[in-house]
Amino acid sequence: MIIDGKKISQEIKNEVKLAAEKLKREKGIIPGLAFILVGDNPASQSYVKSKGKACEELGFYSATERVLATISESDLLAMVNRFNNDPKIHGLLVQLPLPKHIDEQKVIEAISPAKDVDGFHPVNIGKMMIGIDTFYSATPYGIVELLKRYNINPSGKHVVVIGRSNIVGKPVANMLVQKKEWANAIVTIAHTAAKDLSYYTKQADILIAAVGKPNAITKEMLKPGVVVIDVGINRIDDPSSKTGTRLVGDVDFEHVKEIASAITPVPGGVGPMTIAMLMVNTLKAAGGKI
């Protein structure tokens, strides 16, 4: 079974749009999302553009502040504070990475936890950790939602997460280990320090790969019937394509799909879910829900 993130993300966006219309009709509130884009990183520009497009599609208000990479840390913090105090803005997103002279953690902590729709603020991470409802980091939230909508219940299953980043690995492990519905899994976090990664991957009922290396997870590393969630987005050379490159995940899709019971493709798997769940968080910050 191919887990179609494109299809599910569109379903979620349709639900968000209806909920946003209801919020506007009943309370006169239009969800507002602000983006701060520092510098001219092409990937960051592309992400912000697609998030802005999603806002437009769903009837959200959005504002994008583009600033030079030379902006001082104090000026950036002042801009964050301005959006924290703007009643039209319910969610605030500072696109990472930031230039080296700016302390990313300081900027994340300056965002009001009530507007932290990225789910990166220590307050929201702490709430997630102890099982209090909060803004969940969009990519892990998207993974949990994909499992739910494909009726793949992680309860009692062994979930092996490859990767320990603050954006994917740690939060998804925390979300799935909680004692609640659509979680309650036995979770192992494995990473590059493992002498033999396949020792862990072979035990997985559900494998979540967030390694950052193309085709790092092969068929030989997995047991038949495994559910594979591939978070990786890697650009590799491909002379046969128009651009000379193509996107692949962290999993050797063509061979792994032969033994997996379900698998996400790249592109079109986890990627589209990230923006959809960011919109869910923004709706929630404005006081709406799907």
Side-chain angles (χ1 to χ4, degrees):
M1 180 170 68
I2 304 296
I3 298 173
D4 189 344
K6 219 169 173 182
K7 175 173 146 283
I8 298 297
S9 70
Q10 194 53 57
E11 279 175 19
I12 291 167
K13 285 196 281 190
N14 292 344
E15 290 165 19
V16 170
K17 189 175 183 181
L18 287 174
E21 284 165 1
K22 187 182 178 204
L23 190 65
K24 185 182 176 183
R25 196 170 56 245
E26 293 179 359
K27 295 184 180 171
I29 296 170
I30 298 170
L33 182 55
F35 307 101
I36 299 176
L37 180 58
V38 181
D40 52 8
N41 178 318
S44 294
Q45 285 178 331
S46 169
Y47 289 143
V48 167
K49 190 179 173 186
S50 52
K51 288 165 186 173
K53 199 174 157 196
C55 285
E56 201 179 316
E57 194 188 320
L58 304 185
F60 285 17
Y61 166 75
S62 76
T64 303
E65 285 274 3
R66 290 180 172 81
V67 295
L68 295 173
T70 51
I71 189 173
S72 69
E73 185 177 273
S74 59
D75 283 351
L76 182 59
L77 291 170
M79 191 177 282
V80 166
N81 197 42
R82 176 162 58 80
F83 280 124
N84 279 342
N85 294 313
D86 185 339
K88 289 201 303 291
I89 298 301
H90 303 97
L92 173 55
L93 191 150
V94 179
Q95 188 64 45
L96 304 178
L98 292 172
K100 290 198 165 40
H101 67 280
I102 295 171
D103 183 339
E104 275 188 8
Q105 197 54 39
K106 199 184 272 188
V107 173
I108 288 166
E109 289 182 30
I111 296 169
S112 162
K115 295 190 178 188
D116 168 43
V117 289
D118 250 341
F120 292 165
H121 195 286
V123 166
N124 290 325
I125 289 168
K127 283 181 172 179
M128 174 194 69
M129 182 103 188
I130 58 175
I132 296 173
D133 186 50
T134 187
F135 295 119
Y136 301 106
S137 201
T139 302
Y141 197 6
I143 292 167
V144 173
E145 198 61 29
L146 275 179
L147 293 175
K148 191 188 289 187
R149 297 207 180 211
Y150 271 88
N151 205 25
I152 300 165
N153 197 334
S155 183
K157 300 273 174 31
H158 188 181
V159 175
V160 177
V161 179
I162 311 294
R164 51 180 160 177
S165 74
N166 291 334
I167 294 170
V168 180
K170 288 178 195 168
V172 80
N174 266 296
M175 287 172 77
L176 289 170
V177 83
Q178 298 297 329
K179 193 176 181 179
K180 63 180 184 182
E181 230 183 335
W182 298 104
N184 203 34
I186 294 87
V187 180
T188 298
I189 300 180
H191 44 75
T192 48
K195 286 187 175 69
D196 177 13
L197 204 54
S198 67
Y199 170 79
Y200 302 97
T201 56
K202 279 176 181 165
Q203 297 178 46
D205 299 314
I206 299 172
L207 181 95
I208 299 171
V211 196
K213 279 188 187 164
N215 302 323
I217 307 295
T218 63
K219 179 180 167 182
E220 294 69 32
M221 296 169 75
L222 302 166
K223 66 179 183 185
V226 64
V227 171
V228 178
I229 307 292
D230 190 350
V231 188
I233 299 178
N234 309 285
R235 194 168 285 283
I236 62 164
D237 292 335
D238 181 3
S240 68
S241 82
K242 277 183 194 170
T243 57
T245 63
R246 67 186 166 96
L247 289 179
V248 296
D250 291 346
V251 175
D252 178 6
F253 180 83
E254 288 307 318
H255 295 106
V256 169
K257 73 175 183 184
E258 294 167 12
I259 62 157
S261 61
I263 186 168
T264 59
V266 176
V270 174
M273 294 297 292
T274 302
I275 290 180
M277 301 323 287
L278 178 69
M279 298 298 129
V280 170
N281 277 347
T282 305
L283 175 73
K284 183 178 182 173
K289 62 176 182 178
I290 57 172

